[in-house]
Structures are given as structure tokens and as C-alpha cells.
Amino acid sequence: MSADLYNSLFDKDSSFSGTDSLVAAFAREGRLRQAAFALANDEMMEGIWVEEEQMADESMRYAADDRSSSSAVFKGGDYVVQISRADNEWTALQMAGPPGASLKLGDRWIVLTRDVPTIMNLEELPATITLVDMSGREITLTR
């Protein structure tokens, strides 16, 4: 194919007949798609980039983890303790078990009174908590 014939495929004023008009239509469509691809590629390479920041750990949850991040019921032995957050304040409520128990959170102690919410200092809900009963026995409570 000569260069003149090839260039005439893209000229809108050229008139073709038969299969030549089909070849010209394919050539124009191919050139149009190639130009669109080149434009899109140039736009992508010229800085349409986004830097994502990692979400804060407390707001990240697994899809299968449908537990609440602001309330949980912990059970172990004869004890049931509910820990919940309302108005940016964490409270612990002993719902079952003998009286006189305390929660041990690191080096802090929270004395529980049955059926009375106790304010506590927490950043987020733990997976387990340690309860110490009146005899000094440590019981691990889990969700």
C-alpha cells in the first residue's frame, strides 16, 4: 500500500467505494481508539496519583468481626461483666457473680459493685480482661 493511499484512508473528504470504504472506516476507528488510549495513558502518567494513608487501627475491623467496638459482654467462671462506652466515657458493669470482684488492667485496678456502673479509663475494648475475686483468684473473662 502506498503512503498516499494509506493517508487517504484518514481523510474525511475522500470517497471510497465497496470494500475500500469499510477499510477506511476501520482505519479511522483504529486511529481514534489509539489516540484515546494515548490521551488516557498520558493523563495517568502525568500525576493523577493518590497517596492513601492507612486508617487508624481503632476503626479498622475485619469483615467477619461484627462485634461492636463500643460495647462488649465478658464472661468467665460465674462472672459476667459488661464494658461499654457512652459520651466518650467507658464504664464497667458487673452483671453476675459474687460481690467484691475487681478488674485488673495492667497496673490499674477497677473495683466493681454489682449492678452499679463503674467509670474506667480505657482507650479501646480489650479482647480479654482479668477479674480478681475476693479470694485473690484471677479469672480471665472473654467476649
Side-chain angles (χ1 to χ4, degrees):
M1 177 184 295
S2 70
D4 291 335
L5 180 58
Y6 176 77
N7 290 331
S8 70
L9 291 175
F10 304 107
D11 186 12
K12 292 184 181 186
D13 296 330
S14 297
S15 62
F16 296 101
S17 62
T19 57
D20 290 345
S21 63
L22 181 62
V23 171
F26 280 136
R28 282 191 291 266
E29 182 68 22
R31 185 170 271 185
L32 181 66
R33 288 178 185 244
Q34 182 181 16
F37 174 77
L39 178 63
N41 198 30
D42 287 345
E43 288 292 320
M44 185 184 82
M45 292 302 184
E46 287 182 7
I48 303 178
W49 301 97
V50 175
E51 289 187 27
E52 294 183 17
E53 293 182 10
Q54 187 175 9
M55 291 187 325
D57 290 335
E58 62 270 4
S59 64
M60 192 180 315
R61 293 180 30 209
Y62 293 109
D65 185 7
D66 57 354
R67 299 179 293 189
S68 171
S69 63
S70 64
S71 178
V73 175
F74 294 85
K75 298 178 182 178
D78 297 333
Y79 293 93
V80 176
V81 176
Q82 178 183 18
I83 296 179
S84 59
R85 180 179 62 191
D87 300 328
N88 292 328
E89 187 172 75
W90 289 94
T91 58
L93 176 66
Q94 180 183 350
M95 300 165 54
S102 298
L103 294 179
K104 182 174 131 180
L105 298 170
D107 59 348
R108 293 175 289 153
W109 291 83
I110 292 95
V111 178
L112 299 174
T113 304
R114 183 145 179 199
D115 297 326
V116 176
T118 305
I119 296 172
M120 57 192 298
N121 184 14
L122 271 183
E123 296 294 322
E124 62 182 14
L125 277 173
T128 62
I129 56 175
T130 304
L131 182 134
V132 180
D133 65 7
M134 284 294 286
S135 64
R137 182 176 56 138
E138 291 188 1
I139 301 167
T140 301
L141 306 179
T142 57
R143 291 186 191 198

